[in-house]
Amino acid sequence: MGRFPNSPAFLRIQQDAGQLVLHAKDIETLTVYEWEEHGEQQNAFGDEEVAVPPDAAKIELQLYNFPTCQLRKIYFPRLTRTPWHPNFDDIILYSIDAHQVEFVGTQSFHAAPGDASLHPAGVDHHSETLREGWRLEFAFEAQAGKCGRDLIALPAQNMIWHELSDRIVNGTRQQHIGRLADADCRYQAKMFHFPVYTMFVCRIAAGERLPLHCNAAEKLLYILSGRMRVATDSITEDVTKDAMVRLPEGRQHAREALTDCLVIELDGYTAPRPYPR
């Protein structure tokens, strides 16, 4: 069951490793069925001629494919129950508006909107959806067991909004906790610290701008709400809700919040395996 979905957006990204922006409107929404058979997870896309059990989990899936990450935006209908299965990749999960119970190994976690968790590679898990909605899965190649084998869950209500400041020093972005008088950009962020990975959920006020600069590491942005302008030395593009942006290490870019924005930001890692897991 390891074929790639044959969508134009997917093929375009595979042909162009330099792609910087993916908009949700350009990505095919796929129907995917998941079930357990002979002790193993099975997957089938909706257009496949496969006998699907009536109790199979049915989800709606969008795939954002980048060289260092595969983002899976998934809609779970109410009462969806996925089968037990392991991931080949480390998966960071963020709930947009779904309510789910995640079971990982012997642990469980009620994931409400705004909550985040990490499912380490190789650990059996499944989920049950209490209230329908969307969730994000950021997939990265497993980091050689550095994430351990336990569910790492971080409820949003336990996270503090920190004041952060960014400034450009010798053409490179530097992030600081706290308000700097000479900052180029100020914003608030919740910082979800996992083993190996850190995810920022940022509230950026309209008008905050970072001039042309480079990052010390590749950055991935997902726009939860608002409108942002991203520019390099050769292109300028406005991105809105449900767009994902890749800012490669060493490539100059600038960005500006055109409205108040809520944005997920995290570092890119080595390329994951393709869906299905």
Side-chain angles (χ1 to χ4, degrees):
M1 309 299 296
R3 77 174 181 88
F4 291 89
N6 187 23
S7 72
F10 176 82
L11 296 175
R12 184 172 65 249
I13 299 312
Q14 291 303 102
Q15 293 165 2
D16 181 9
Q19 181 77 26
L20 298 180
V21 179
L22 273 176
H23 297 274
K25 63 182 176 59
D26 297 326
I27 300 174
E28 182 180 359
T29 299
L30 304 164
T31 298
V32 178
Y33 297 93
E34 297 184 351
W35 70 96
E36 184 177 335
E37 185 175 320
H38 306 303
E40 294 185 0
Q41 183 200 22
Q42 306 295 321
N43 299 81
F45 295 98
D47 59 353
E48 289 184 284
E49 295 183 2
V50 176
V52 177
D55 60 346
K58 178 183 177 182
I59 62 175
E60 302 295 321
L61 172 71
Q62 286 189 313
L63 298 177
Y64 296 65
N65 293 285
F66 285 96
T68 55
C69 176
Q70 184 182 71
L71 171 65
R72 303 158 186 171
K73 183 185 175 188
I74 307 175
Y75 178 79
F76 292 88
R78 182 174 176 269
L79 302 182
T80 300
R81 186 181 188 277
T82 60
W84 283 95
H85 63 281
N87 290 328
F88 293 110
D89 307 307
D90 295 331
I91 307 288
I92 297 174
L93 301 93
Y94 178 87
S95 179
I96 296 178
D97 53 11
H99 284 260
Q100 294 181 302
V101 180
E102 300 173 14
F103 298 87
V104 179
T106 60
Q107 302 180 61
S108 62
F109 169 59
H110 176 202
D115 291 346
S117 58
L118 171 65
H119 290 187
V123 182
D124 281 344
H125 65 277
H126 81 101
S127 66
E128 298 182 5
T129 304
L130 307 177
R131 186 181 303 169
E132 69 277 2
W134 292 93
R135 118 178 148 182
L136 304 175
E137 297 186 357
F138 296 90
F140 299 103
E141 184 179 335
Q143 300 297 299
K146 295 178 182 178
C147 295
R149 296 191 55 82
D150 297 324
L151 168 67
I152 297 130
L154 298 176
Q157 64 182 8
N158 296 342
M159 300 293 106
I160 298 171
W161 286 104
H162 294 273
E163 297 288 335
L164 270 71
S165 300
D166 289 359
R167 62 183 178 186
I168 309 305
V169 178
N170 297 324
T172 301
R173 175 190 178 193
Q174 295 184 351
Q175 291 179 292
H176 301 266
I177 297 177
R179 297 183 68 85
L180 297 179
D182 60 347
D184 291 291
C185 182
R186 297 185 180 90
Y187 54 100
Q188 293 182 317
K190 288 184 177 182
M191 294 179 283
F192 293 82
H193 292 295
F194 301 106
V196 181
Y197 310 98
T198 297
M199 182 177 74
F200 293 76
V201 177
C202 305
R203 292 197 304 211
I204 307 173
E208 290 291 343
R209 181 178 183 274
L210 272 173
L212 278 174
H213 65 281
C214 295
N215 290 325
E218 177 166 313
K219 299 291 181 182
L220 300 167
L221 310 179
Y222 181 85
I223 312 300
L224 288 165
S225 65
R227 185 160 62 99
M228 178 179 290
R229 178 163 296 159
V230 179
T232 70
D233 50 7
S234 58
I235 63 169
T236 298
E237 188 161 359
D238 290 355
V239 293
T240 56
K241 183 177 181 293
D242 296 329
M244 188 169 172
V245 183
R246 172 179 173 244
L247 303 173
E249 175 185 357
R251 181 166 181 176
Q252 279 200 328
H253 61 272
R255 67 192 204 200
E256 178 182 3
L258 302 178
T259 67
D260 291 348
C261 294
L262 189 64
V263 179
I264 291 176
E265 177 178 326
L266 66 167
D267 289 347
Y269 288 84
T270 50
R273 304 184 190 210
Y275 188 91
R277 298 185 273 271

